[in-house]
Amino acid sequence: MKLHSNELPSGKSYTLHKTLAIVFSLVILTVIPLLYNLVNYYSVFIVNNSPKSPSNSYSSSSNEKNDGVAETLSNYQEEEEECDIFTGEWIPNPNAPYYTSSSCWAIHEHQNCMKYGRPDGGFMQWRWKPDACELPIFNPSQFLELMRDKSLAFVGDSVGRNQMQSLICLLSRVEYPIDESYTADENFKRWKYKSYNFTMASFWTPHLIKAAMGDSNGPTKTGLFNLYLDEHDQEWTTQIDEFHYIIISGGHWFFRPMVFYENHRIVGCHYCLLPNVTDLGMYYGYRKAFRTAFKAINSLKNFKGMTILRTFAPSHFENGLWNEGGNCLRTKPFRSNETQLEGHNLELYMIQMEEFRVAEREGRKRGKKFRVLDTTQAMLLRPDGHPSRYGHLATENVTLYNDCVHWCLPGPIDAWSDFLLQMLKMEGIRSVRDRLQFG
């Protein structure tokens, strides 16, 4: 905000200079601890702006200095944005993990790999290193300060829940939340960090749109689902107005047989094997589902938060499909030159990004913010991070497939919080810069 000396009674130039410098410093310092890389910039700014003598030219000098800080912030942001934090390699991190299966109660049993006897622990000791810059390890105190008086919702399937539980465990070094869920249904959880007035919630919607079980068996004995491609899933679309951030994701459920409805009639399916129903393939339903979900968000007049697309995280079944004995037994990450995004993984990723860009353009017209948390490349390189058979006791009499979809906790999914925190920091920089430039 630009301030002028004639806004206060005359004869107060020195007091004005000092007061405004202090006020401005306090505003900046509210953000600075969270934007650790900018401390030096702000320190220099505050020192340089300490009043040395009364002056009648405060207005012009203050504006010039504010513009200088805005330029510094802008330059820093440009440098950071030039660095693609989502392109890089996994490198050893002997300091990890930052919690254990015994120290965090939030770990879902099926992802509690060390509890259930996984023999190797090296998969927990890697961190993501972008090619052109550093990505700081997640700082729970910084995150909670950034999220003070705010709210975050995870919208999607069990991998989204996997991400939320990873975040809860990482934050447990500072505080555990209390359960403030409005229902006993475990698919709709709400957690409150009382010391920070921060709410975190999850909304179960594996197809993102209105869907229902059509046949509990279906052609593959995994269910046949009716997807209403042009209808919102009101279980979450009616609940998110109050949230400051939502992280939306989905993918793995679209591999199962589906029947597609549009305008209340069947238009096709994916591997439904029903007579006189055209097989349009999974990509048709996947694209329409994201399109409808994004349209739902853009149609919400009272939702003023930020929508973050968390991109598809590939599975790593080898030597068979998930229901045909496929497994994931590797014990270290791939290098980026050892594998590539292709096939279903590439197609699902491209569909997400294409629909995201359409939604972002439309959202911008309506004053809505969309961002991408691009986990695809990083997780493509982590065939070692899945539970496989270590999601239950070996002696337990259960029928479970090897899990090469979800992620062990602790494990590589913890890096998603590294990404998220860095994104939030950049949003903070952008906000301060805009206030200085246009305030």
Side-chain angles (χ1 to χ4, degrees):
M1 181 179 292
K2 295 181 178 179
L3 301 168
H4 302 275
S5 59
N6 59 7
E7 292 176 356
L8 293 177
S10 59
K12 302 293 185 180
S13 298
Y14 179 82
T15 302
L16 170 65
H17 193 167
K18 183 175 181 180
T19 301
L20 289 177
I22 292 172
V23 170
F24 184 74
S25 300
L26 290 174
V27 171
I28 291 297
L29 288 173
T30 301
V31 181
I32 292 295
L34 310 176
L35 308 176
Y36 64 100
N37 282 327
L38 295 180
V39 170
N40 290 335
Y41 290 134
Y42 292 132
S43 298
V44 171
F45 170 73
I46 293 169
V47 170
N48 289 342
N49 280 273
S50 298
K52 297 177 176 61
S53 61
S55 171
N56 292 323
S57 60
Y58 177 80
S59 176
S60 60
S61 63
S62 177
N63 290 344
E64 289 173 2
K65 290 166 183 173
N66 284 1
D67 290 343
V69 175
E71 182 179 358
T72 298
L73 288 170
S74 181
N75 291 340
Y76 175 82
Q77 183 183 346
E78 288 175 4
E79 291 175 5
E80 289 296 299
E81 289 180 344
E82 286 177 2
C83 175
D84 177 7
I85 62 172
F86 305 117
T87 299
E89 302 280 358
W90 292 93
I91 64 172
N93 178 20
N95 295 322
Y98 299 96
Y99 60 91
T100 68
S101 59
S102 59
S103 71
C104 181
W105 51 255
I107 302 175
H108 192 283
E109 287 294 278
H110 292 166
Q111 285 98 58
N112 205 337
C113 305
M114 302 312 290
K115 174 181 176 180
Y116 290 113
R118 179 163 174 169
D120 62 305
F123 71 94
M124 297 183 289
Q125 296 188 304
W126 298 84
R127 70 177 180 89
W128 182 250
K129 170 65 174 68
D131 288 338
C133 59
E134 288 292 331
L135 178 64
I137 295 294
F138 182 79
N139 184 317
S141 297
Q142 285 185 350
F143 182 87
L144 286 169
E145 278 298 340
L146 273 173
M147 300 304 287
R148 184 181 291 278
D149 300 322
K150 292 184 173 61
S151 52
L152 167 66
F154 293 88
V155 176
D157 58 19
S158 54
V159 179
R161 181 186 64 200
N162 200 176
Q163 180 183 6
M164 182 185 74
Q165 291 167 342
S166 163
L167 180 56
I168 290 174
C169 287
L170 289 167
L171 293 175
S172 68
R173 288 176 286 165
V174 175
E175 183 175 327
Y176 273 115
I178 62 171
D179 191 341
E180 289 193 347
S181 303
Y182 56 87
T183 173
D185 189 342
E186 288 295 312
N187 290 324
F188 301 92
K189 297 294 293 183
R190 189 173 293 241
W191 303 98
K192 185 68 169 282
Y193 289 81
K194 298 289 272 188
S195 299
Y196 296 86
N197 191 31
F198 166 48
T199 298
M200 187 157 56
S202 64
F203 295 95
W204 170 259
T205 174
H207 296 104
L208 300 177
I209 55 175
K210 181 180 177 182
M213 177 76 78
D215 180 348
S216 60
N217 288 315
T220 62
K221 309 301 181 184
T222 58
L224 176 64
F225 296 87
N226 296 329
L227 268 63
Y228 302 88
L229 300 179
D230 52 358
E231 297 186 47
H232 306 168
D233 179 0
Q234 296 190 6
E235 291 283 0
W236 67 270
T237 58
T238 59
Q239 299 288 324
I240 64 169
D241 279 351
E242 66 187 270
F243 286 88
H244 295 84
Y245 303 92
I246 64 169
I247 299 178
I248 187 170
S249 59
H252 293 288
W253 280 70
F254 288 83
F255 287 94
R256 303 186 185 201
M258 301 171 286
V259 177
F260 303 138
Y261 288 77
E262 292 183 77
N263 197 25
H264 308 293
R265 65 183 182 86
I266 295 176
V267 296
C269 74
H270 164 59
Y271 198 67
C272 63
L273 303 184
L274 296 176
N276 302 317
V277 178
T278 303
D279 194 324
L280 300 176
M282 63 177 292
Y283 302 140
Y284 180 87
Y286 192 67
R287 182 180 295 279
K288 287 294 185 75
F290 268 96
R291 185 174 298 175
T292 296
F294 285 141
K295 282 184 177 180
I297 293 169
N298 275 328
S299 71
L300 297 174
K301 294 182 179 179
N302 294 325
F303 175 63
K304 307 300 182 184
M306 177 184 294
T307 301
I308 300 173
L309 168 65
R310 196 271 298 158
T311 62
F312 183 68
S315 61
H316 293 92
F317 290 99
E318 296 185 77
N319 302 315
L321 299 176
W322 68 275
N323 58 345
E324 297 176 359
N327 209 343
C328 39
L329 300 175
R330 295 180 184 266
T331 58
K332 66 178 182 178
F334 287 130
R335 297 285 297 175
S336 60
N337 61 358
E338 293 177 330
T339 188
Q340 62 181 351
L341 195 63
E342 58 187 0
H344 288 312
N345 293 332
L346 176 60
E347 193 66 28
L348 295 178
Y349 176 75
M350 293 304 297
I351 288 172
Q352 281 186 320
M353 295 304 297
E354 289 163 6
E355 294 304 317
F356 170 84
R357 292 187 186 104
V358 172
E360 182 186 31
R361 285 195 299 270
E362 182 60 30
R364 194 178 299 119
K365 300 174 187 175
R366 304 177 184 217
K368 298 188 184 299
K369 293 181 179 180
F370 285 79
R371 300 288 185 266
V372 174
L373 174 55
D374 193 339
T375 60
T376 303
Q377 179 63 23
M379 304 316 284
L380 176 68
L381 304 182
R382 293 308 304 268
D384 59 320
H386 301 287
S388 180
R389 63 180 179 273
Y390 300 107
H392 58 88
L393 292 172
T395 57
E396 203 170 343
N397 186 22
V398 294
T399 301
L400 289 175
Y401 299 104
N402 295 321
D403 186 352
C404 303
V405 171
H406 300 93
W407 304 93
C408 293
L409 296 180
I413 195 173
D414 294 330
W416 296 7
S417 292
D418 299 348
F419 290 140
L420 179 59
L421 179 54
Q422 185 67 7
M423 291 171 63
L424 294 175
K425 288 177 181 178
M426 293 308 298
E427 289 299 323
I429 294 172
R430 185 179 291 109
S431 177
V432 172
R433 182 204 62 186
D434 290 347
R435 288 177 186 176
L436 290 171
Q437 287 183 332
F438 308 115

